[in-house]
Amino acid sequence: MPELPEAETIARALDEALVGRVVGGVVLLRGDVFRGRVDRLTKLPGVRVERAYRRGKRVIVVFETGEKLVFGLGMSGRLAVVTREAELETHTHLRVGFAGGVELRFRDPRRFGGVWLFAADEAVVGKRLGLLGPEPLEISSRGFCGLLDRRRQVKALLMDQAVIAGLGNIYVDEALHRAGVHPMTIASDLTEDERRGLWRAVRSVLRTAIKHRGTTLMDYRDPDGAPGGFQQKHRVYRRDGQGCRTCGVVIEKIVAAGRSTHFCPNCQVLGL
Ligand SMILES: [Zn+2]
């Protein structure tokens, strides 16, 4: 499931491929994937792309009119930039054609994702999309430590998009291991040092993952069709039964926050 580093990789690629291009035509192949009024979508032709960026796990294409096409990638959403002649893959739900013969295509076999069009004056954060907390690569150490001041399991807290945006199962497990924090620790029980350590671990994991263009487990590909490479750097995620890269003790898998959770019982001890 795409998280912040995968969305960032996609947004950067779209920014590179689409900025300055003018929309030629929009074809919605599956209506329920688009969450909004289709007549607004059909008014896009003639409009130029200004930039593409990421907020949380969402990828956003901004047009010169200020309108924003927002992609939620869900479990299996994929964005590809291809030539108009490229063969149409199954589960392609939206095609946005551009002058010059290039097309942006949105595919989502499992359809947990979606596409929204926001007006120029509409903020991307809000009720329509659910609340989004601060960006983990932008929040200060002090701000992050403050977020942890809640009596909630740290894994569940960090995966809550309304608390902090962009983290999911993979990167929370990886950050907790690097910080030496057990996933079931109550966040407010963490010391200041532990909280700062977790802030550093989150940033370091995300930055390294972005450098490797994200993690590919099954579906994820960047808009050029290339898989990510960060899975080779995972220390705990889906490494249960294998040795911890730090201490050699066998990585365990438990359920925390309703999700498979991977940790080292030696490096990440649950405090009393
Ligand atoms: Zn270990």
Side-chain angles (χ1 to χ4, degrees), residues 183-194:
M184 292 177 103
T185 308
I186 298 298
S188 55
D189 288 347
L190 292 166
T191 65
E192 276 300 307
D193 269 359
E194 288 171 325

Side-chain angles (χ1 to χ4, degrees), residues 191-211:
T191 65
E192 276 300 307
D193 269 359
E194 288 171 325
R195 293 180 197 195
R196 277 194 293 269
L198 190 49
W199 175 72
R200 283 192 297 269
V202 164
R203 292 162 71 86
S204 142
V205 163
L206 293 176
R207 287 200 176 124
T208 310
I210 290 169
K211 210 167 77 188

Side-chain angles (χ1 to χ4, degrees), residues 20-25 84 96-103:
R21 289 192 186 270
V22 176
V23 177
R84 188 178 301 148
V96 183
F98 294 92
V102 167
E103 230 175 67

Side-chain angles (χ1 to χ4, degrees), residues 87-119:
E87 198 178 327
L88 199 63
E89 291 184 271
T90 51
H91 308 295
T92 299
H93 305 316
L94 178 70
R95 304 168 69 177
V96 183
F98 294 92
V102 167
E103 230 175 67
L104 172 65
R105 292 182 185 171
F106 178 64
R107 279 183 76 215
D108 187 7
R110 298 175 68 181
R111 281 190 288 121
F112 286 104
V115 185
W116 294 258
L117 185 65
F118 279 68

Side-chain angles (χ1 to χ4, degrees), residues 40-54:
R40 284 174 62 187
L41 198 58
T42 55
K43 284 184 188 143
L44 278 180
V47 169
R48 193 180 300 271
V49 174
E50 195 171 88
R51 70 182 182 117
Y53 72 104
R54 172 197 61 76

Side-chain angles (χ1 to χ4, degrees), residues 3 6 16 24 46 71 99 109 129 158 161 172 183 201 231 244 268 270:
E3 300 180 30
E6 293 77 40
E16 202 169 296
F71 295 92
L129 274 171
L158 292 178
Q161 300 302 297
V172 169
Q231 61 280 4
C244 171
Q268 297 163 268
L270 189 58

